[in-house]
Amino acid sequence: MNDRLRMVSDTTRAFMEATVDLEALLQTVVDRLAAVIGDSCCMLLLSDDRSTLVPAALSDRDPSVAAESRRVLMEPLTLDRHAEMRHVLASGTPFATELSDLEPLRARSTPAYFEHVQRIGMHGVMLVALHVHGESIGLLTMLRHRTTPAPYGDDDLELVKILADHAALAITNARLHAADQSHRLFFERSPLPKFIYDPEASRVLEVNNAALALYGYTRDEFLSLVRSRTNL
């Protein structure tokens, strides 16, 4: 139990440390889950219209399998063709199954994907929603193949669910950070003079270079302006 708690703590700390870089965070999540749970982890994020799952990052314990998986698994998935994924996203309930016969997958897969899962000896699948603030933002797809013959157990399912919840929160925070940085760059690089004024505190909070050039103040001088002097 202590080892498991330590592993959860270490993994969630890694998620949080990568929050300022969204792409690095996505790769950190799948790398950790592939290493801890095995064998393969693919993260798919919902499109803005919530009709499609878009592959965002992939990792596998076997580098050769990871390379091949990126070739055949990184195409968007339309949800109306994947009932089990729709159910997991809608309900937030994880799903895991053992696959003793891959043949039923043939009709629902591309030829390249079906050949791939046959070749790697896939025998287990787990689907876990990335769920935060009451809604799903994507899905973690875990696969087991010939590298790990043991099936997924209840402990694996519970652990991935815990880590998926932490990952979903970290992804949401990373997206907010990225949006904030984008807005900040737009503000700073705008050719139009802009400043942000707080009427309650009677002071300027931020100013861009165009405003400094227009009014002739240094940044420190502009930020020290109070209400009586901000009739600009």
Side-chain angles (χ1 to χ4, degrees), residues 26 29-30 33 41-47 50 52-57 77 79 82-95 125-131 135-142 160 164 167-168 171 175:
L26 302 182
V29 171
V30 295
L33 283 163
C41 180
C42 182
M43 181 188 296
L44 303 106
L45 297 177
L46 275 168
S47 60
R50 304 182 69 81
T52 305
L53 282 168
V54 181
L77 301 177
L79 279 173
H82 298 275
E84 199 61 60
M85 288 183 172
R86 287 202 312 273
H87 175 72
V88 172
L89 287 167
S91 67
T93 303
F95 168 81
V125 176
M126 184 191 306
L127 305 175
V128 180
L130 291 163
H131 204 70
E135 70 173 11
S136 294
I137 61 171
L139 196 69
L140 292 175
T141 302
M142 307 289 303
V160 175
I171 291 167
R175 284 173 163 175

Side-chain angles (χ1 to χ4, degrees), residues 50-72:
R50 304 182 69 81
S51 67
T52 305
L53 282 168
V54 181
L58 183 146
S59 185
D60 193 286
R61 287 177 175 176
D62 183 333
S64 65
V65 173
E68 185 179 355
S69 297
R70 290 189 182 95
R71 183 176 60 82
V72 299

Side-chain angles (χ1 to χ4, degrees), residues 18-188:
T19 297
V20 295
D21 185 335
L22 181 58
E23 288 189 12
L25 170 62
L26 302 182
Q27 194 60 47
T28 297
V29 171
V30 295
D31 285 347
R32 288 288 181 136
L33 283 163
V36 170
I37 305 296
D39 291 309
S40 181
C41 180
C42 182
M43 181 188 296
L44 303 106
L45 297 177
L46 275 168
S47 60
D48 290 341
D49 65 3
R50 304 182 69 81
S51 67
T52 305
L53 282 168
V54 181
L58 183 146
S59 185
D60 193 286
R61 287 177 175 176
D62 183 333
S64 65
V65 173
E68 185 179 355
S69 297
R70 290 189 182 95
R71 183 176 60 82
V72 299
L73 297 180
M74 300 305 279
E75 292 294 325
L77 301 177
T78 304
L79 279 173
D80 60 12
R81 297 184 58 191
H82 298 275
E84 199 61 60
M85 288 183 172
R86 287 202 312 273
H87 175 72
V88 172
L89 287 167
S91 67
T93 303
F95 168 81
T97 187
E98 281 297 296
L99 300 171
S100 57
D101 179 12
L102 295 177
E103 193 59 34
L105 290 177
R106 187 187 293 273
R108 294 182 285 138
S109 309
T110 64
Y113 176 78
F114 186 72
E115 291 173 9
H116 171 67
V117 296
Q118 279 189 312
R119 189 159 45 247
I120 66 174
M122 184 181 76
H123 63 84
V125 176
M126 184 191 306
L127 305 175
V128 180
L130 291 163
H131 204 70
V132 63
H133 302 322
E135 70 173 11
S136 294
I137 61 171
L139 196 69
L140 292 175
T141 302
M142 307 289 303
L143 303 180
R144 276 202 174 154
H145 47 69
R146 58 175 176 263
T147 304
T148 305
Y152 288 122
D154 291 341
D155 287 348
D156 295 321
L157 202 63
E158 181 182 352
L159 183 55
V160 175
K161 177 68 168 65
I162 292 170
L163 296 177
D165 287 344
H166 285 287
L169 180 59
I171 291 167
T172 299
N173 289 338
R175 284 173 163 175
L176 291 173
H177 176 78
D180 179 68
Q181 291 298 102
S182 177
H183 292 153
R184 180 175 293 277
L185 285 174
F186 176 79
F187 175 84
E188 291 174 350

